[in-house]
Amino acid sequence: ANFSEQVVESFPSDIPTGIYYGWACVGNGDVHKMVLSIGWNPFYKNTKKSVETHIIHTFKEDFYGEILSIAIIGYIRPEKNFDSLEALIAAIQEDIEEAKRQLDLPEHLKLKEDNFFHLPGNKIVNN
């Protein structure tokens, strides 16, 4: 789930590029573990900064146009380039496993129930 350019531009500029983990909620649905990439995606030679969310859940249908709420809980690693698509995919899988381990810790697991994910109305906070 990629955020629009407008949302990416509204992110605080002092957040370092890299891979993060946290919680995500689509619309008013359940809260799921997620991995988040903030940066330039050097493997794909992007010219614009992006914020890409990988929700660790299989959805039954697309959720284009839904509100995506995220809470960034921790940092995994800096952004880096890869020699091959296979190496990139392997790193993504390692990031997912690290996110799962971290988010299972009691201090992170309790944040899944934070009121942020249960805001009334359309839940738009900081764009």
Side-chain angles (χ1 to χ4, degrees):
N2 298 344
F3 284 102
S4 69
E5 277 185 45
Q6 178 185 5
V7 171
V8 173
E9 290 169 3
S10 74
F11 262 62
S13 60
D14 59 346
I15 294 178
T17 61
I19 309 303
Y20 295 82
Y21 61 88
W23 298 104
C25 178
V26 176
N28 292 315
D30 294 334
V31 178
H32 301 286
K33 296 173 181 175
M34 66 93 179
V35 176
L36 183 80
S37 169
I38 300 174
W40 305 95
N41 297 325
F43 184 77
Y44 291 104
K45 299 175 178 46
N46 286 4
T47 57
K48 292 190 179 218
K49 193 178 206 179
S50 67
V51 177
E52 300 176 352
T53 308
H54 173 80
I55 301 171
I56 304 171
H57 176 75
T58 301
F59 290 89
K60 293 180 182 168
E61 54 192 41
D62 289 336
F63 51 85
Y64 291 105
E66 290 284 344
I67 299 293
L68 174 61
S69 302
I70 63 167
I72 300 171
I73 307 302
Y75 183 78
I76 297 176
R77 64 174 175 82
E79 181 178 43
K80 60 184 178 182
N81 200 354
F82 296 91
D83 295 331
S84 67
L85 182 58
E86 292 77 18
L88 171 60
I89 291 169
I92 291 170
Q93 290 304 318
E94 289 172 17
D95 296 337
I96 290 169
E97 292 307 313
E98 179 64 14
K100 288 178 182 178
R101 281 190 294 274
Q102 291 296 324
L103 292 166
D104 280 340
L105 295 172
E107 63 268 25
H108 295 152
L109 199 54
K110 69 181 182 184
L111 297 171
K112 178 180 181 181
E113 305 303 324
D114 192 89
N115 287 337
F116 168 76
F117 293 111
H118 307 289
L119 292 173
N122 62 10
K123 301 192 336 183
I124 295 178
V125 176
N126 190 26
N127 291 332

